[in-house]
């Protein structure tokens, strides 16, 4: 499997993603510095979490203008898979590869805890390959601006087109996201942005190992 | 040189928790005539340009390309005549 992880100044989950992918697939992902202008032919590119460019202006806004972003868009238009986690999700939103926007958490707190997510019935997607709709998975979250916001029209479209991959439980929405949305897919299902961190739910010393389910399904799909 | 002032505010329909908290905090301090405040951001843009129309157009391009998230933010630009 050919995977790459983009690193920006301020990324801090890049190594966790690299270790998670290597542990599960046995393939070491390529590290892609944000100043590179060409992404080689890869199956998967991960935009990791962190605080790229210090979250200046708006979270992900500066990173979304980095030199590598044009080739990320090319990779996406070739049908390549893209996974954006946390700040990576914010960056994909700012690049407009994913719809809607992410605003400051409703309660103004930085939330850092384990959270239960409900897997949704989606359009065909490599990212929901290993999961059954209705399944609950536990991943950690750690963010200040994870409040997914979009108008009613877009919410309806996301539902109708099966573009919502994960939701928070209605009674445990940590950030005020519209319709408890925690993860959103692109129209072709090949781009996923999510606030929770599956790469932090792998090892025995992590509080959950549900990330294995997620990455196993993804890697199986990409290798298949 | 022209100085352009850019003001950015959250759109009315977007919940802005920071505004809500600061408003409530002022009301708690006894400012009971306060209906609400609006928290925004001001950016000063200094341009090597003489033509005011061109300066505004140029600044708007910066807004659309990077400075403003038009899904959730409104903005206005104007020339600061005082420099």
């Amino acid at each position: 499997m050919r995977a790459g992880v983009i690193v920006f100044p301020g990324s801090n989950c890049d190594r966790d993603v690299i270790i998670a992918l290597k542990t599960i697939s046995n393939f070491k992902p390529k590290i892609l510095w944000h100043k590179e202008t060409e992404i080689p032919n890869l199956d998967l590119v991960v935009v990791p979490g962190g605080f790229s460019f210090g979250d200046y202006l708006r979270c992900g806004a500066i990173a979304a203008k980095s030199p590598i972003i044009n080739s990320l868009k090319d990779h996406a238009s070739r049908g390549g898979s893209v996974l954006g986690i946390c700040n990576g999700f914010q960056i994909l939103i700012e690049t407009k590869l994913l719809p809607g926007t992410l605003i400051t958490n409703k309660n103004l707190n930085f939330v850092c805890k384990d959270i239960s997510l409900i897997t949704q019935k989606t359009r065909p997607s490599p990212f929901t390959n290993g999961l059954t709709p209705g399944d609950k998975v536990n991943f950690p979250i750690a963010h200040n601006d994870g409040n997914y916001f979009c108008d009613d029209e877009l919410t309806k479209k996301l539902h109708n087109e099966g573009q919502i991959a994960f939701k928070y439980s209605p009674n445990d929405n940590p950030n005020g996201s519209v319709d408890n949305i925690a993860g959103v897919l692109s129209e072709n299902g090949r781009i996923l942005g999510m606030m929770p961190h599956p790469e932090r739910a792998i090892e025995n010393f992590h509080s959950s190992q549900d990330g294995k389910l997620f990455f196993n399904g993804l890697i199986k799909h990409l290798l298949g | 040189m022209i100085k352009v002032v850019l003001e950015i505010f959250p759109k009315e329909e977007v919940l802005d928790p920071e505004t809500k908290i600061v408003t409530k905090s002022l009301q708690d301090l006894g400012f009971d005539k306060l209906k609400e405040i609006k928290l925004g951001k001001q950016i000063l843009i200094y341009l090597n340009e003489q033509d005011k129309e061109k300066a505004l157009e140029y600044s708007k391009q910066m807004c659309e390309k990077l400075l403003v998230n038009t899904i959730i933010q409104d903005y206005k630009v104007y020339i600061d005549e005082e420099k």
Side-chain angles (χ1 to χ4, degrees), chain A residues 57-58 61-62 65 93-94 96 99-108 147 149-150, chain B residues 8 13-18 21 41 43 63-73:
Chain A
L57 194 63
R58 294 180 306 278
I62 310 279
K65 306 294 170 188
I93 290 264
E94 283 283 345
K96 304 219 164 44
T101 195
L102 289 157
I103 57 177
T104 304
N105 295 347
K106 194 174 177 181
N107 60 10
L108 287 180
N147 180 351
F149 178 83
C150 63
Chain B
I8 307 173
E13 62 269 29
V14 178
L15 172 82
D16 180 23
E18 198 175 0
I21 299 280
K41 189 185 273 186
I43 296 177
C63 294
E64 298 288 334
K65 225 163 175 185
L66 179 66
L67 294 175
V68 182
N69 178 351
T70 51
I71 301 176
I72 48 166
Q73 295 170 322

Side-chain angles (χ1 to χ4, degrees), chain B residues 1-5 44 50-53 56 78-83:
Chain B
M1 193 183 67
I2 288 182
K3 178 179 171 188
V4 179
V5 182
L44 305 178
Q50 303 304 324
D51 186 295
K52 288 180 184 174
E53 283 304 312
L56 286 176
Y78 55 89
I79 308 280
D80 185 352
E81 303 287 356
E82 284 181 21
K83 287 230 177 101

Side-chain angles (χ1 to χ4, degrees), chain B residues 36-48:
Chain B
E36 62 171 350
I37 58 149
K38 287 274 175 216
L39 277 176
K41 189 185 273 186
Q42 193 184 63
I43 296 177
L44 305 178
I45 302 169
Y46 298 89
L47 291 177
N48 287 319

